[in-house]
Amino acid sequence: MQKIAILAVLFFVLASSVHAETGTLYTLPQANKIEAERHMMVARRHFLSRDYFGCLEELELAQKDDIYLVSTYLLRALCQRRLGMWGDALTSIHYYLEVASADVRAKLIEGQIVKERDLLKEILSGRIEVASTQAYKQPLSLFFNLPLGAKPRAKAIGKASCLEGRSWISDTEGNRIFLIKKDEKPYVFDIEKPVAAVPLSSNELIVATRNGQIYRATLTEKDKRTKDLSLEKLTEIPSILSDAVIIGRKILLVSDAADGKLVYLDTDTGKVLGDWRPNDKSRFEPLALSYGGYLVAIVDRGSNSLIVMDPWSKKVVFQGQADMLRDVEWVSPAKCFALGEDGSLYEANVKGGSFNKIIDGKLTNCWCLTRNDNEIMAFDAALDNVFWIKQTFKQEDLTAFANLHMMQKDLNNGTLSLKSNLYVPVVADLNFEVPSIKAGFGKILLASRWEEDAYVNRGLLYEVSSMKSYDVFLRDMYNAGEKWPSRIVLEQNPSLSGISDDFVLMLAGLCLREGIAVDLYLKDGPLPLSLTMLSHMSGGKIMFSPPLQSEVPGLAGLAGKISVELPERKVLFKEIAFEPLLAIFGNVDGIPFRDWVPIDFLPDIDQHK
């Protein structure tokens, strides 16, 4: 239908009456306004129940019944905005403005679409500006809230890894591995000279020792107070190992400090799949590794540098110089921290090409870094203290993604209420305080307030193993449970590895609007930066084992109810010059948001009918 509806009036006016040469009589197409308005009413209610495809279908029917009903383009733009269809949303709003240029709301909507799209584009490209970085020191027993007298005692720790709230810490000189979880007594498992314990799932891990032994380990629970770690030898590398990371479902990357190389191992068979060393023939002494789902970061004592390489193409993409680096950990798929033995902390910005010292010598006696969800922790050598490293990001250009739905009206008492969800990219530093809000209808401001938290009806987990067109992908996801899921799991494969940045940009819009976390199940190949950044900013996980349906919380956000006080009907109706929209705007923790929802003044009905 596109521009046909917008230009139809002009065309038929010019062509109407009797044609000068043929004498043919042209008439304007008839409009079934009653039927068109019925479809519009149903479309509004589909929108408010978050059934956006139902909304778009009804808008198409409304336009067929009344080709002059340009308000269909306004509601279509809002619907496409919620689905992340940025280009289509802007096209629809432009068509609307060609006819309804006096509607200032449409210009505000256009500006908000552009702002949200550009913000996500910047984040997905890895460009996130940091305002400050701080390290907060706490005793380990206090940080993990351990029972009295339960603090583990280490001789000299190796590396630490975290998964699902569990910290695995190798005590290399103490010949043991610690399992530490908040509010629980730590567990201790004996093993000779461990350098790295790499968790694959909640009860499976790979253990690498200094003398080259590689074990597959299984955690079992004898009773509520006793756990056992059984070891099965996978292979042996006759050398001195310093670290290990998992980069695929069956691929382990091990740093061989003695022979100066990285070794790729098959975690099923223990076979060597290949190796890597720099091409410049300089002395290579890999001391620490970290993988963030996109690139591998390597601390190289041989060249006193941090090396970042693509583990699949085996190409170096970044290198920064610093003396006596000890460990490395990814903060996001495009930025990592490197820890120096003097307690200094460096930040490598791979996309920006910078490597800077951001904390000078304050992480006293720290020996290793690890990441627990979105927290970066540094442990000191004796496990006495933990440094929690926190970054504050510049929020001037950030915006929160609002999602208003499920309207209830009481026009007799002059009240209207909506459920509201607010989500922001996890790069923002939020305390989730009660947001300040304003409501507007036409040119008048309405008294409004944020009330108690509200339950959000969510789906479970949606797994994706093959990619289709964006429209088909979304329809399949929504139709799987007749509601949007809490999380989606994207399984790495050739089609996913080749996913376009435009596809990811649209998906990011939907996920931030609906609070969907994106998990990545990595198998045996690369993923684009935009997709790993989407997983990071949506609160998703990098997984190396099949997902479970048990616990599937989505992106952390704020849910509540917004109550709006309406004026007298005659005042309200005077403001209806265009499609009736309620505007809600405000900020949460200083981050602004805006949203618009259609309203009607008919009695409430089942919104799915």
Side-chain angles (χ1 to χ4, degrees):
M1 299 294 288
Q2 302 302 329
K3 268 189 173 178
I4 296 175
I6 296 175
L7 300 177
V9 175
L10 179 61
F11 172 80
F12 283 107
V13 167
L14 294 175
S16 63
S17 191
V18 178
H19 194 278
E21 296 180 359
T22 65
T24 304
L25 181 65
Y26 291 97
T27 59
L28 296 173
Q30 292 184 348
N32 188 343
K33 293 186 177 181
I34 294 177
E35 190 65 17
E37 181 52 37
R38 189 187 73 82
H39 286 301
M40 285 295 293
M41 181 191 70
V42 177
R44 295 181 190 111
R45 294 181 175 184
H46 276 310
F47 185 98
L48 290 167
S49 66
R50 299 158 66 200
D51 179 4
Y52 307 123
F53 296 111
C55 177
L56 291 173
E57 290 166 5
E58 291 295 331
L59 290 174
E60 188 73 20
L61 294 173
Q63 197 172 59
K64 287 181 179 179
D65 284 324
D66 186 356
I67 199 171
Y68 316 110
L69 190 61
V70 295
S71 59
T72 56
Y73 287 103
L74 182 63
L75 188 51
R76 180 180 285 123
L78 290 173
C79 199
Q80 291 164 334
R81 167 179 173 251
R82 289 203 171 182
L83 290 170
M85 297 176 173
W86 307 110
D88 291 343
L90 288 172
T91 298
S92 295
I93 205 72
H94 291 161
Y95 287 162
Y96 177 76
L97 282 169
E98 286 185 12
V99 174
S101 58
D103 190 350
V104 295
R105 305 169 309 165
K107 296 176 182 177
L108 293 174
I109 292 170
E110 177 189 21
Q112 188 67 16
I113 292 171
V114 171
K115 182 177 181 180
E116 292 171 350
R117 180 202 63 187
D118 291 351
L119 168 67
L120 294 180
K121 189 180 293 186
E122 281 291 299
I123 295 175
L124 294 175
S125 68
R127 293 187 289 269
I128 307 173
E129 292 192 52
V130 175
S132 66
T133 304
Q134 302 291 331
Y136 301 92
K137 180 180 178 180
Q138 270 190 313
L140 182 135
S141 56
L142 181 61
F143 182 87
F144 285 99
N145 194 29
L146 302 180
L148 187 63
K151 188 187 85 65
R153 298 184 180 278
K155 288 187 176 180
I157 64 172
K159 300 303 167 62
S161 299
C162 288
L163 182 68
E164 298 177 358
R166 295 179 173 184
S167 297
W168 295 88
I169 305 173
S170 300
D171 181 7
T172 306
E173 297 303 319
N175 296 316
R176 51 195 172 177
I177 294 173
F178 297 109
L179 170 57
I180 305 177
K181 188 177 181 180
K182 287 187 176 182
D183 305 317
E184 294 184 8
K185 182 180 178 180
Y187 293 93
V188 182
F189 308 106
D190 294 331
I191 183 170
E192 185 179 355
K193 303 296 183 183
V195 292
V198 185
L200 307 178
S201 65
S202 58
N203 61 353
E204 290 184 308
L205 62 154
I206 300 291
V207 177
T209 69
R210 180 184 290 172
N211 58 10
Q213 306 296 314
I214 309 292
Y215 297 96
R216 178 178 286 277
T218 304
L219 183 69
T220 56
E221 187 173 308
K222 293 182 178 180
D223 53 56
K224 292 184 178 180
R225 295 186 177 182
T226 308
K227 295 183 186 293
D228 183 52
L229 191 68
S230 59
L231 300 177
E232 177 186 355
K233 186 173 179 179
L234 184 62
T235 189
E236 180 178 356
I237 299 175
S239 190
I240 299 175
L241 305 186
S242 57
D243 204 355
V245 291
I246 193 81
I247 63 171
R249 183 168 60 93
K250 298 180 180 181
I251 306 174
L252 184 75
L253 191 61
V254 178
S255 56
D256 182 340
D259 290 344
K261 62 183 178 181
L262 305 184
V263 181
Y264 292 74
L265 293 175
D266 186 317
T267 58
D268 277 352
T269 65
K271 292 183 179 179
V272 174
L273 302 174
D275 58 32
W276 178 86
R277 54 170 50 91
N279 294 325
D280 58 9
K281 297 182 180 181
S282 62
R283 187 170 70 91
F284 181 51
E285 187 182 336
L287 182 64
L289 304 173
S290 181
Y291 183 56
Y294 179 56
L295 299 169
V296 169
I298 310 156
V299 169
D300 176 23
R301 278 293 183 88
S303 61
N304 281 322
S305 66
L306 176 73
I307 300 173
V308 178
M309 56 92 75
D310 183 333
W312 310 108
S313 67
K314 298 184 178 181
K315 293 181 180 179
V316 173
V317 298
F318 177 87
Q319 189 163 359
Q321 298 295 134
D323 292 336
M324 303 300 288
L325 294 178
R326 179 72 190 98
D327 203 2
V328 62
E329 183 61 65
W330 288 98
V331 185
S332 76
K335 287 185 179 181
C336 61
F337 286 157
L339 176 66
E341 289 195 2
D342 64 348
S344 295
L345 190 71
Y346 299 81
E347 182 184 68
N349 185 333
V350 177
K351 297 299 292 184
S354 63
F355 186 61
N356 300 310
K357 182 186 292 188
I358 54 176
I359 295 179
D360 189 3
K362 294 183 178 180
L363 279 66
T364 312
N365 297 323
C366 278
W367 204 247
C368 66
L369 295 168
T370 190
R371 176 177 172 174
N372 183 20
D373 292 330
N374 292 309
E375 292 184 342
I376 302 295
M377 299 180 293
F379 295 98
D380 67 11
L383 285 184
D384 290 328
N385 299 295
V386 178
F387 287 82
W388 172 40
I389 303 169
K390 181 179 180 180
Q391 286 196 316
T392 302
F393 298 90
K394 292 183 179 179
Q395 298 187 352
E396 292 85 352
D397 297 326
L398 285 178
T399 185
F401 288 73
N403 183 345
L404 306 178
H405 57 283
M406 298 296 288
M407 181 182 296
Q408 292 180 331
K409 304 183 295 291
D410 186 347
L411 298 179
N412 293 325
N413 294 323
T415 60
L416 181 151
S417 63
L418 304 118
K419 290 182 180 179
S420 176
N421 303 328
L422 293 174
Y423 302 102
V424 297
V426 296
V427 299
D429 181 24
L430 287 186
N431 297 315
F432 291 111
E433 298 177 351
V434 175
S436 62
I437 59 170
K438 297 287 184 182
F441 185 77
K443 297 179 181 179
I444 59 175
L445 288 177
L446 306 176
S448 56
R449 62 188 180 276
W450 180 278
E451 295 185 344
E452 77 278 359
D453 290 346
Y455 171 73
V456 182
N457 187 18
R458 302 296 298 276
L460 293 176
L461 202 65
Y462 181 70
E463 299 180 43
V464 182
S465 58
S466 62
M467 301 306 294
K468 307 171 184 177
S469 70
Y470 186 69
D471 181 76
V472 173
F473 170 76
L474 290 195
R475 289 178 183 272
D476 288 348
M477 178 166 55
Y478 182 78
N479 293 334
E482 294 300 323
K483 54 188 173 184
W484 298 109
S486 296
R487 306 185 81 89
I488 58 177
V489 179
L490 301 179
E491 181 180 322
Q492 183 274 322
N493 54 49
S495 67
L496 192 62
S497 296
I499 191 172
S500 71
D501 290 342
D502 287 339
F503 189 108
V504 177
L505 179 61
M506 291 189 290
L507 182 57
L510 172 73
C511 291
L512 266 293
R513 191 79 56 194
E514 293 292 331
I516 303 171
V518 179
D519 296 333
L520 301 178
Y521 176 25
L522 303 188
K523 300 179 73 175
D524 56 4
L527 290 176
L529 173 62
S530 59
L531 192 57
T532 52
M533 284 299 302
L534 171 57
S535 178
H536 170 68
M537 77 172 183
S538 68
K541 301 177 181 178
I542 302 294
M543 304 186 304
F544 300 98
S545 58
L548 301 175
Q549 281 279 358
S550 55
E551 297 181 5
V552 286
L555 172 63
L558 195 63
K561 185 175 77 172
I562 293 177
S563 293
V564 181
E565 296 181 13
L566 300 176
E568 295 180 1
R569 288 195 180 195
K570 61 181 181 180
V571 176
L572 205 58
F573 290 159
K574 285 182 180 179
E575 297 297 324
I576 303 178
F578 303 97
E579 169 70 14
L581 295 179
L582 179 72
I584 299 289
F585 52 96
N587 72 81
V588 52
D589 290 358
I591 300 176
F593 62 86
R594 279 186 173 182
D595 200 17
W596 294 264
V597 291
I599 61 175
D600 61 59
F601 302 100
L602 298 175
D604 284 326
I605 60 173
D606 184 343
Q607 295 180 4
H608 289 282
K609 291 183 179 180

